[in-house]
């Protein structure tokens, strides 16, 4: 009589109503061929795909082919026992979870602890009982079904994350493309450094000519990080350019740089409040330079003060003090400070992502270190100075920056 005949009298085959969406591929591991035949027939009646191995080493060879999600193994076997097999399974990097059930005649506490530490999920005591075997398999099916759903969800999330990463990479490229390239306007040279703390950042700088004499330049820092701040930065760039053009065309030429600079920042603040219904705001330092006289008017809206190094001096001194950020009050009362830029002088506009950058012990990089770096690079090109600042910051703070790092240098030549 075939070995499966007694099995048909041993139990009545059942098909579970809650069958898994994908079939179970079971690997039976035991050195007893009769028990393997009994288990194979039982699992086959439930729609499982079944393979057999006489010991742990043979089972591992079959597992190399992949696809198994259930292993039922005896504890005591030649060459490799069930505990060693389960430990080897848990050490593998399988694409999906493998549920392990151990057959054992030892049900003492230490044996169960050893099995669980080896990675066993469930136990079947010998001799086997059909009702208990069916219950154990139903529990395995629920776990494997849940794991399959989680794997499918993870695959969807992985795909969504990959698409998001591609979109953010594109957004980063577009944001960097919006920043102006190093440029000279007659005897004035401007160049910037920008390094975002994430894919996209909330800092920006810009500079552009306003007619034949005036030159506008600024550095802004949007509150927060990520996509929302980056979108606000793009809007700020367009709005500041538009407002600057409107004010310069409309204002009385004899009114002076200070009034024009204050009017530009004040109008932009009003537009920001009208158009922005979120909690975002920004700090801004805005400069308006008369290239004919070398005089610049600087307005600081909640931003760190501009650093100025006079011609022939390596020392960078702060100019003025900040007021309220843009987007807080409708009439913040901005003021402008004048500074004369003789040939050989420099201005440095920076974001607090530099000075607040924390070291391993939490100490901020600080203004003095930035001033020292700028002073050391006084005779170098702006590009060399940026390289020194970047190197110092990465040496100070290992890993990604917590905030965007932005620096703009203006040099009168």
């Amino acid at each position: 009589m075939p070995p499966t005949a007694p099995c048909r009298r041993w139990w009545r085959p059942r098909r579970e109503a809650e069958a898994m969406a994908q079939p179970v591929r079971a690997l039976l591991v035991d050195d007893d061929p009769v028990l393997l035949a009994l288990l194979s027939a039982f699992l086959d009646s439930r729609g499982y795909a079944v393979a057999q191995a006489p010991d742990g080493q043979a089972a591992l060879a079959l597992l190399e082919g992949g696809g198994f999600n259930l292993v039922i193994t005896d504890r005591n076997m030649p060459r490799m026992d069930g505990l060693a097999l389960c430990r080897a399974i848990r050490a593998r990097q399988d694409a999906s979870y493998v549920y392990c059930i151990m057959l054992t005649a030892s049900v003492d506490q230490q044996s169960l602890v050893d099995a669980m530490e080896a990675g066993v999920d469930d136990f079947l005591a010998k001799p086997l009982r059909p009702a208990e075997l069916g219950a154990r398999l139903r529990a395995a099916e629920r776990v494997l079904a849940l794991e399959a759903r989680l794997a499918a969800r993870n695959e969807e999330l992985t795909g969504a994350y990959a698409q998001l990463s591609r979109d953010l990479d594109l957004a980063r490229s577009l944001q960097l493309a919006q920043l102006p390239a190093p440029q000279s306007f007659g005897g004035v040279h401007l160049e910037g450094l920008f390094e975002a703390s994430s894919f996209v950042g909330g800092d920006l700088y810009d500079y552009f000519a306003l007619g034949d004499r005036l030159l506008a330049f600024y550095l802004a820092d949007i509150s927060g990080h990520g996509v929302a701040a980056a979108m606000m930065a793009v809007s700020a760039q367009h709005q500041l350019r538009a407002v600057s053009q409107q004010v310069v065309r409309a204002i009385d030429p004899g009114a002076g740089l200070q009034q024009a600079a204050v009017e530009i920042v004040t109008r932009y603040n009003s537009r920001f409040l009208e158009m922005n219904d979120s909690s975002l705001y920004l700090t801004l330092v805005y400069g308006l330079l008369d290239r004919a006289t070398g005089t610049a008017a600087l307005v600081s809206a909640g931003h760190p003060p501009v650093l100025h190094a006079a011609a022939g001096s390596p020392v960078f001194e702060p100019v003025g003090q900040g007021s309220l950020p843009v987007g807080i009050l409708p009439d913040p009362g901005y003021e402008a400070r004048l500074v004369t830029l003789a040939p050989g002088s420099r201005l440095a506009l920076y974001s607090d992502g530099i000075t607040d950058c924390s070291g391993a012990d939490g100490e901020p990089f600080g203004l003095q270190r930035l001033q020292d770096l700028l002073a050391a690079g006084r005779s170098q090109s702006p590009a060399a100075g940026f390289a020194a600042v970047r190197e110092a910051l990465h040496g100070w703070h290992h890993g990604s920056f917590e905030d965007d790092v932005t620096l703009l240098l203006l040099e009168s030549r």
Side-chain angles (χ1 to χ4, degrees), residues 234-378:
V234 173
S235 173
Q237 185 180 45
H238 290 293
Q239 292 296 325
L240 277 166
R241 284 199 173 219
V243 171
S244 298
Q245 295 284 356
Q246 292 170 2
V247 170
V248 168
R249 285 196 301 264
I251 200 166
D252 181 356
L257 284 177
Q258 286 177 295
Q259 181 178 340
V262 168
E263 181 66 19
I264 288 169
V265 179
T266 301
R267 287 196 189 184
Y268 174 63
N269 179 71
S270 298
R271 284 197 180 190
F272 188 94
L273 289 171
E274 291 174 1
M275 299 176 60
N276 178 37
D277 59 357
S278 70
S279 60
L280 293 178
Y281 62 90
L282 63 90
T283 64
L284 169 72
V285 58
Y286 183 93
L288 201 57
L289 172 65
D290 186 337
R291 291 185 288 143
T293 64
T295 302
L298 303 173
V299 178
S300 181
H303 201 85
V306 175
L307 300 177
H308 173 227
S313 172
V315 180
F316 281 80
E317 297 287 354
V319 177
Q321 57 186 7
S323 181
L324 288 175
V326 171
I328 303 296
L329 293 177
D331 187 15
Y334 296 124
E335 296 180 353
R337 289 288 300 270
L338 292 179
V339 60
T340 300
L341 301 178
S345 58
R346 277 187 179 181
L347 291 181
L349 288 65
Y350 63 94
S351 69
D352 59 8
I354 296 179
T355 52
D356 291 347
C357 180
S358 60
D361 58 356
E363 180 185 357
F365 190 77
L367 178 59
Q368 187 60 57
R369 289 186 178 87
L370 175 60
Q371 289 173 298
D372 292 343
L373 282 170
L374 294 173
R378 186 71 171 85

